[in-house]
Structure formats: C-alpha cells, structure tokens
Amino acid sequence: MTYVDEYLAGLSGAQKTALEHVCAMVREMVPDVEELKTYGVPTFKKDGKYLFAFAAAKNHLSIYPGAGAVEAVEDELAGFGMS
C-alpha cells in the first residue's frame, strides 16, 4: 500500500470520493507514476518530476500542481501568470 492509499483510507464521504477519483485518473493516464509523501502530503511524480500533491482540509480540498503537470499543459495555460 502506498502513502497515497493510506491517506485516502483515512478520509470519508465526499472528500474521499473526489480524491479517489482524481487518483484513479492519474493512475490511468500515467501508469508508471510514483506515489509518495512529500512535505507531509500525498504526491505523484513522473520521471523524477513532481506532478502534483493533494490534501484534504476541513472544508476544502487542495491540489498543488508541480512543474511536471504545468509542462504537460503549458500551451493551454498561455496567457495565465504562473509562479
């Protein structure tokens, strides 16, 4: 069991459902994705590049995109500021 799975197992309700869906999409689209814990949150990496991390809070969910994710959709983000 990966840290991502352990984290999801600790959630319930709509948060769990939503994040399980996101993780399933990642696993389907990036079959050899690396799943780990970075800065205390579940993280996905591909070829050593950080794709994104996620976390559940009391009233919201957070997804933190990394350079690998941004590079994958760079053309679609033209015109948006990124830092």
Side-chain angles (χ1 to χ4, degrees):
M1 180 180 288
T2 68
Y3 180 74
V4 171
D5 294 323
E6 291 174 11
Y7 187 89
L8 292 171
L11 300 176
S12 62
Q15 286 186 324
K16 182 174 186 173
T17 301
L19 290 176
E20 284 178 333
H21 179 69
V22 170
C23 291
M25 288 190 315
V26 171
R27 290 168 174 156
E28 181 180 329
M29 295 184 333
V30 189
D32 54 345
V33 71
E34 183 182 359
E35 302 179 25
L36 59 148
K37 178 181 179 179
T38 306
Y39 298 107
V41 296
T43 303
F44 289 99
K45 279 182 151 182
K46 168 75 171 144
D47 297 330
K49 290 186 179 181
Y50 166 69
L51 293 177
F52 75 91
F54 65 89
K58 183 176 179 179
N59 295 311
H60 70 277
L61 301 174
S62 295
I63 293 183
Y64 308 100
V70 173
E71 288 172 5
V73 293
E74 195 169 29
D75 293 341
E76 297 173 49
L77 298 174
F80 289 94
M82 292 180 274
S83 60

